[in-house]
Short mmCIF file of all heavy atoms in Angstrom, two decimals:
data_model
loop_
_atom_site.label_atom_id
_atom_site.label_comp_id
_atom_site.label_asym_id
_atom_site.label_seq_id
_atom_site.Cartn_x
_atom_site.Cartn_y
_atom_site.Cartn_z
N PHE A 278 123.05 32.22 142.74
CA PHE A 278 124.49 32.60 142.74
C PHE A 278 125.29 31.72 141.79
O PHE A 278 126.11 32.22 140.98
CB PHE A 278 125.10 32.47 144.13
CG PHE A 278 126.51 32.87 144.25
CD1 PHE A 278 126.89 34.22 144.39
CD2 PHE A 278 127.54 31.95 144.15
CE1 PHE A 278 128.16 34.60 144.44
CE2 PHE A 278 128.88 32.32 144.18
CZ PHE A 278 129.17 33.63 144.38
N GLN A 279 125.01 30.42 141.76
CA GLN A 279 125.73 29.53 140.87
C GLN A 279 125.36 29.77 139.42
O GLN A 279 126.17 29.68 138.50
CB GLN A 279 125.45 28.05 141.25
CG GLN A 279 126.23 27.03 140.39
CD GLN A 279 127.73 27.08 140.70
OE1 GLN A 279 128.17 27.78 141.58
NE2 GLN A 279 128.45 26.26 139.99
N LEU A 280 124.09 30.16 139.19
CA LEU A 280 123.72 30.53 137.82
C LEU A 280 124.50 31.71 137.29
O LEU A 280 124.88 31.73 136.12
CB LEU A 280 122.22 30.88 137.77
CG LEU A 280 121.21 29.74 137.67
CD1 LEU A 280 119.79 30.24 137.78
CD2 LEU A 280 121.41 28.94 136.37
N VAL A 281 124.68 32.72 138.13
CA VAL A 281 125.52 33.85 137.76
C VAL A 281 126.91 33.38 137.34
O VAL A 281 127.46 33.77 136.33
CB VAL A 281 125.53 34.92 138.88
CG1 VAL A 281 126.58 35.96 138.56
CG2 VAL A 281 124.24 35.54 139.05
N ARG A 282 127.51 32.57 138.22
CA ARG A 282 128.84 32.09 137.93
C ARG A 282 128.91 31.32 136.64
O ARG A 282 129.82 31.51 135.75
CB ARG A 282 129.33 31.21 139.08
CG ARG A 282 130.73 30.59 138.91
CD ARG A 282 131.14 29.70 140.04
NE ARG A 282 131.33 30.50 141.22
CZ ARG A 282 132.44 31.11 141.52
NH1 ARG A 282 133.47 31.08 140.72
NH2 ARG A 282 132.56 31.81 142.64
N GLN A 283 127.96 30.40 136.42
CA GLN A 283 127.95 29.56 135.26
C GLN A 283 127.78 30.36 134.00
O GLN A 283 128.39 30.07 132.93
CB GLN A 283 126.80 28.50 135.33
CG GLN A 283 127.03 27.44 136.40
CD GLN A 283 128.37 26.65 136.21
OE1 GLN A 283 129.17 26.62 137.10
NE2 GLN A 283 128.50 26.05 135.05
N GLY A 284 126.87 31.34 134.05
CA GLY A 284 126.66 32.20 132.88
C GLY A 284 127.93 32.91 132.49
O GLY A 284 128.31 33.03 131.28
N PHE A 285 128.66 33.46 133.49
CA PHE A 285 129.89 34.18 133.12
C PHE A 285 131.00 33.24 132.66
O PHE A 285 131.81 33.60 131.77
CB PHE A 285 130.36 35.01 134.30
CG PHE A 285 129.75 36.39 134.36
CD1 PHE A 285 128.58 36.64 135.07
CD2 PHE A 285 130.28 37.47 133.59
CE1 PHE A 285 128.03 37.90 135.06
CE2 PHE A 285 129.68 38.68 133.55
CZ PHE A 285 128.55 38.89 134.30
N GLU A 286 131.01 32.01 133.16
CA GLU A 286 131.96 31.03 132.64
C GLU A 286 131.72 30.73 131.16
O GLU A 286 132.59 30.63 130.38
CB GLU A 286 131.88 29.75 133.46
CG GLU A 286 132.51 29.89 134.84
CD GLU A 286 133.99 30.20 134.80
OE1 GLU A 286 134.73 29.49 134.10
OE2 GLU A 286 134.41 31.22 135.40
N GLU A 287 130.42 30.64 130.82
CA GLU A 287 130.03 30.39 129.46
C GLU A 287 130.36 31.58 128.56
O GLU A 287 130.84 31.40 127.46
CB GLU A 287 128.54 30.00 129.32
CG GLU A 287 128.16 28.73 129.96
CD GLU A 287 128.74 27.49 129.26
OE1 GLU A 287 129.14 27.62 128.09
OE2 GLU A 287 128.97 26.43 129.91
N LEU A 288 130.16 32.79 129.07
CA LEU A 288 130.50 33.94 128.31
C LEU A 288 132.02 33.99 128.00
O LEU A 288 132.47 34.31 126.91
CB LEU A 288 130.16 35.25 129.05
CG LEU A 288 128.74 35.75 128.96
CD1 LEU A 288 128.57 36.99 129.84
CD2 LEU A 288 128.37 36.11 127.54
N PHE A 289 132.78 33.58 129.04
CA PHE A 289 134.24 33.52 128.83
C PHE A 289 134.57 32.54 127.74
O PHE A 289 135.46 32.84 126.92
CB PHE A 289 134.92 33.15 130.15
CG PHE A 289 136.44 33.20 130.07
CD1 PHE A 289 137.17 34.31 130.25
CD2 PHE A 289 137.09 31.94 129.80
CE1 PHE A 289 138.53 34.26 130.20
CE2 PHE A 289 138.49 31.97 129.77
CZ PHE A 289 139.21 33.11 129.92
N LYS A 290 133.93 31.38 127.73
CA LYS A 290 134.23 30.39 126.70
C LYS A 290 133.87 30.92 125.33
O LYS A 290 134.63 30.74 124.40
CB LYS A 290 133.40 29.14 126.98
CG LYS A 290 133.86 28.35 128.17
CD LYS A 290 132.95 27.13 128.35
CE LYS A 290 133.19 26.42 129.67
NZ LYS A 290 132.23 25.28 129.86
N ARG A 291 132.75 31.65 125.19
CA ARG A 291 132.36 32.16 123.87
C ARG A 291 133.34 33.19 123.44
O ARG A 291 133.67 33.30 122.28
CB ARG A 291 130.94 32.79 123.93
CG ARG A 291 129.86 31.85 124.34
CD ARG A 291 129.74 30.59 123.49
NE ARG A 291 128.68 29.76 123.87
CZ ARG A 291 128.64 28.97 124.92
NH1 ARG A 291 129.69 28.85 125.71
NH2 ARG A 291 127.58 28.13 125.14
N ASN A 292 133.86 33.99 124.37
CA ASN A 292 134.90 34.98 124.12
C ASN A 292 136.12 34.32 123.55
O ASN A 292 136.71 34.74 122.55
CB ASN A 292 135.13 35.77 125.36
CG ASN A 292 136.15 36.87 125.19
OD1 ASN A 292 137.34 36.62 125.26
ND2 ASN A 292 135.67 38.10 125.03
N GLU A 293 136.58 33.30 124.21
CA GLU A 293 137.79 32.58 123.79
C GLU A 293 137.59 31.95 122.41
O GLU A 293 138.48 32.04 121.56
CB GLU A 293 138.10 31.46 124.77
CG GLU A 293 138.59 32.02 126.15
CD GLU A 293 139.96 32.59 126.08
OE1 GLU A 293 140.97 31.80 126.08
OE2 GLU A 293 140.09 33.84 125.95
N GLU A 294 136.40 31.39 122.19
CA GLU A 294 136.15 30.78 120.90
C GLU A 294 136.14 31.86 119.76
O GLU A 294 136.69 31.59 118.69
CB GLU A 294 134.81 30.04 120.88
CG GLU A 294 134.73 28.81 121.80
CD GLU A 294 133.35 28.32 122.07
OE1 GLU A 294 132.39 28.96 121.57
OE2 GLU A 294 133.24 27.35 122.79
N TYR A 295 135.52 33.03 120.05
CA TYR A 295 135.51 34.05 119.08
C TYR A 295 136.89 34.49 118.70
O TYR A 295 137.22 34.64 117.46
CB TYR A 295 134.73 35.24 119.63
CG TYR A 295 134.83 36.47 118.75
CD1 TYR A 295 134.02 36.56 117.65
CD2 TYR A 295 135.71 37.51 119.06
CE1 TYR A 295 134.10 37.73 116.83
CE2 TYR A 295 135.81 38.61 118.26
CZ TYR A 295 134.95 38.72 117.14
OH TYR A 295 135.05 39.82 116.33
N PHE A 296 137.78 34.73 119.66
CA PHE A 296 139.11 35.18 119.32
C PHE A 296 139.98 34.15 118.71
O PHE A 296 140.86 34.40 117.90
CB PHE A 296 139.77 35.87 120.55
CG PHE A 296 139.23 37.24 120.78
CD1 PHE A 296 138.42 37.49 121.89
CD2 PHE A 296 139.58 38.27 119.95
CE1 PHE A 296 137.95 38.70 122.12
CE2 PHE A 296 139.08 39.54 120.22
CZ PHE A 296 138.32 39.76 121.26
N ALA A 297 139.73 32.87 119.05
CA ALA A 297 140.46 31.76 118.45
C ALA A 297 140.10 31.72 116.90
O ALA A 297 140.96 31.59 116.06
CB ALA A 297 140.11 30.46 119.09
N ASN A 298 138.80 31.83 116.64
CA ASN A 298 138.37 31.87 115.23
C ASN A 298 138.86 33.12 114.49
O ASN A 298 139.28 33.04 113.33
CB ASN A 298 136.85 31.85 115.17
CG ASN A 298 136.26 30.51 115.60
OD1 ASN A 298 136.94 29.48 115.47
ND2 ASN A 298 135.04 30.52 116.14
N LEU A 299 138.92 34.23 115.17
CA LEU A 299 139.39 35.45 114.59
C LEU A 299 140.90 35.37 114.21
O LEU A 299 141.36 35.77 113.16
CB LEU A 299 139.12 36.63 115.53
CG LEU A 299 139.59 38.02 115.00
CD1 LEU A 299 138.86 38.43 113.69
CD2 LEU A 299 139.34 39.10 116.05
N LYS A 300 141.64 34.76 115.14
CA LYS A 300 143.07 34.56 114.89
C LYS A 300 143.34 33.72 113.64
O LYS A 300 144.13 34.04 112.81
CB LYS A 300 143.74 33.86 116.15
CG LYS A 300 143.95 34.75 117.30
CD LYS A 300 144.58 33.98 118.43
CE LYS A 300 144.73 34.75 119.70
NZ LYS A 300 145.30 33.98 120.77
N ARG A 301 142.52 32.59 113.56
CA ARG A 301 142.69 31.69 112.37
C ARG A 301 142.38 32.52 111.11
O ARG A 301 143.08 32.36 110.09
CB ARG A 301 141.78 30.55 112.51
CG ARG A 301 142.31 29.45 113.45
CD ARG A 301 141.53 28.16 113.32
NE ARG A 301 140.13 28.33 113.81
CZ ARG A 301 139.79 28.08 115.04
NH1 ARG A 301 140.67 27.69 115.92
NH2 ARG A 301 138.52 28.18 115.39
N GLN A 302 141.32 33.31 111.16
CA GLN A 302 140.96 34.05 109.95
C GLN A 302 142.02 35.04 109.53
O GLN A 302 142.32 35.25 108.37
CB GLN A 302 139.60 34.75 110.17
CG GLN A 302 139.07 35.41 108.92
CD GLN A 302 137.71 36.07 109.18
OE1 GLN A 302 137.11 35.91 110.23
NE2 GLN A 302 137.19 36.73 108.17
N ILE A 303 142.61 35.74 110.54
CA ILE A 303 143.65 36.70 110.29
C ILE A 303 144.85 36.10 109.67
O ILE A 303 145.47 36.53 108.69
CB ILE A 303 144.04 37.45 111.58
CG1 ILE A 303 142.88 38.31 112.07
CG2 ILE A 303 145.29 38.32 111.33
CD1 ILE A 303 143.14 38.88 113.47
N VAL A 304 145.28 34.91 110.18
CA VAL A 304 146.43 34.20 109.70
C VAL A 304 146.18 33.65 108.29
O VAL A 304 147.06 33.77 107.40
CB VAL A 304 146.83 33.04 110.65
CG1 VAL A 304 147.91 32.20 110.03
CG2 VAL A 304 147.27 33.64 111.97
N GLU A 305 145.00 33.10 108.07
CA GLU A 305 144.70 32.44 106.82
C GLU A 305 144.35 33.45 105.72
O GLU A 305 144.64 33.26 104.56
CB GLU A 305 143.54 31.49 106.99
CG GLU A 305 143.88 30.29 107.85
CD GLU A 305 142.67 29.44 108.21
OE1 GLU A 305 141.59 29.77 107.73
OE2 GLU A 305 142.85 28.49 109.02
N ASP A 306 143.73 34.57 106.08
CA ASP A 306 143.29 35.54 105.07
C ASP A 306 143.38 36.97 105.58
O ASP A 306 142.32 37.62 105.84
CB ASP A 306 141.85 35.16 104.61
CG ASP A 306 141.39 36.06 103.43
OD1 ASP A 306 142.26 36.72 102.81
OD2 ASP A 306 140.21 36.06 103.13
N PRO A 307 144.57 37.49 105.77
CA PRO A 307 144.68 38.79 106.40
C PRO A 307 144.12 39.92 105.55
O PRO A 307 143.73 40.98 106.06
CB PRO A 307 146.21 39.01 106.53
CG PRO A 307 146.82 38.01 105.56
CD PRO A 307 145.86 36.87 105.51
N ASP A 308 144.00 39.68 104.23
CA ASP A 308 143.46 40.75 103.34
C ASP A 308 141.95 40.89 103.44
O ASP A 308 141.39 41.81 102.86
CB ASP A 308 143.83 40.40 101.90
CG ASP A 308 145.34 40.50 101.65
OD1 ASP A 308 146.05 41.21 102.39
OD2 ASP A 308 145.83 39.79 100.72
N SER A 309 141.31 40.02 104.18
CA SER A 309 139.87 40.14 104.36
C SER A 309 139.44 41.19 105.33
O SER A 309 138.28 41.52 105.49
CB SER A 309 139.29 38.76 104.77
OG SER A 309 139.71 38.41 106.04
N PHE A 310 140.42 41.79 105.99
CA PHE A 310 140.13 42.80 107.02
C PHE A 310 140.45 44.16 106.46
O PHE A 310 141.48 44.37 105.74
CB PHE A 310 140.93 42.57 108.29
CG PHE A 310 140.56 41.28 109.03
CD1 PHE A 310 141.07 40.08 108.68
CD2 PHE A 310 139.54 41.34 109.99
CE1 PHE A 310 140.71 38.91 109.33
CE2 PHE A 310 139.15 40.21 110.69
CZ PHE A 310 139.79 38.97 110.33
N SER A 311 139.63 45.14 106.78
CA SER A 311 139.82 46.51 106.25
C SER A 311 140.91 47.28 107.02
O SER A 311 141.38 48.30 106.59
CB SER A 311 138.50 47.28 106.36
OG SER A 311 138.06 47.37 107.66
N PHE A 312 141.35 46.73 108.18
CA PHE A 312 142.42 47.32 108.93
C PHE A 312 143.32 46.24 109.47
O PHE A 312 142.91 45.09 109.59
CB PHE A 312 141.88 48.22 110.04
CG PHE A 312 140.91 47.49 110.97
CD1 PHE A 312 141.35 46.82 112.09
CD2 PHE A 312 139.55 47.48 110.64
CE1 PHE A 312 140.44 46.15 112.93
CE2 PHE A 312 138.67 46.84 111.48
CZ PHE A 312 139.10 46.18 112.61
N GLN A 313 144.52 46.57 109.80
CA GLN A 313 145.51 45.55 110.20
C GLN A 313 145.29 45.23 111.68
O GLN A 313 145.11 46.09 112.52
CB GLN A 313 146.91 46.13 110.01
CG GLN A 313 148.02 45.07 110.27
CD GLN A 313 149.40 45.57 109.91
OE1 GLN A 313 149.59 46.80 109.61
NE2 GLN A 313 150.35 44.70 109.99
N ILE A 314 145.29 43.91 111.92
CA ILE A 314 145.13 43.42 113.32
C ILE A 314 146.32 42.55 113.64
O ILE A 314 146.68 41.64 112.82
CB ILE A 314 143.85 42.61 113.45
CG1 ILE A 314 142.65 43.45 113.09
CG2 ILE A 314 143.72 42.09 114.84
CD1 ILE A 314 141.30 42.71 113.11
N ASP A 315 146.95 42.75 114.75
CA ASP A 315 148.07 41.91 115.20
C ASP A 315 147.50 40.77 116.00
O ASP A 315 147.03 40.92 117.16
CB ASP A 315 149.02 42.69 116.04
CG ASP A 315 150.26 41.89 116.45
OD1 ASP A 315 150.30 40.65 116.24
OD2 ASP A 315 151.20 42.45 117.04
N TRP A 316 147.33 39.58 115.40
CA TRP A 316 146.68 38.42 116.02
C TRP A 316 147.42 38.01 117.32
O TRP A 316 146.83 37.39 118.20
CB TRP A 316 146.61 37.25 115.08
CG TRP A 316 147.96 36.65 114.66
CD1 TRP A 316 148.67 36.99 113.54
CD2 TRP A 316 148.62 35.59 115.30
NE1 TRP A 316 149.82 36.21 113.49
CE2 TRP A 316 149.80 35.34 114.59
CE3 TRP A 316 148.35 34.81 116.43
CZ2 TRP A 316 150.74 34.40 114.97
CZ3 TRP A 316 149.28 33.92 116.84
CH2 TRP A 316 150.41 33.66 116.10
N GLN A 317 148.71 38.30 117.39
CA GLN A 317 149.47 37.87 118.56
C GLN A 317 149.04 38.61 119.84
O GLN A 317 149.35 38.20 120.96
CB GLN A 317 150.99 38.06 118.31
CG GLN A 317 151.54 37.18 117.22
CD GLN A 317 153.03 37.32 117.05
OE1 GLN A 317 153.69 38.03 117.82
NE2 GLN A 317 153.58 36.71 116.01
#
């Protein structure tokens, strides 16, 4: 049971890291995307 919980906590962290990096990329280089994304 704890393994299940821990795995999902880690997935959540990876998700947060992904979107944090995506936000930075959008702000720093919005033209690198083929479609407009509202980082907010």
Side-chain angles (χ1 to χ4, degrees):
F278 182 84
Q279 184 68 5
L280 278 174
V281 169
R282 177 181 293 276
Q283 291 301 124
F285 273 95
E286 287 299 307
E287 292 295 336
L288 276 177
F289 182 84
K290 290 178 188 176
R291 301 306 182 281
N292 181 277
E293 290 288 279
E294 291 167 1
Y295 171 80
F296 282 107
N298 290 332
L299 182 59
K300 286 180 185 179
R301 281 193 292 271
Q302 187 178 354
I303 293 170
V304 172
E305 294 170 3
D306 188 13
D308 294 333
S309 65
F310 294 86
S311 59
F312 53 91
Q313 187 174 8
I314 301 175
D315 184 352
W316 66 269
Q317 295 182 6

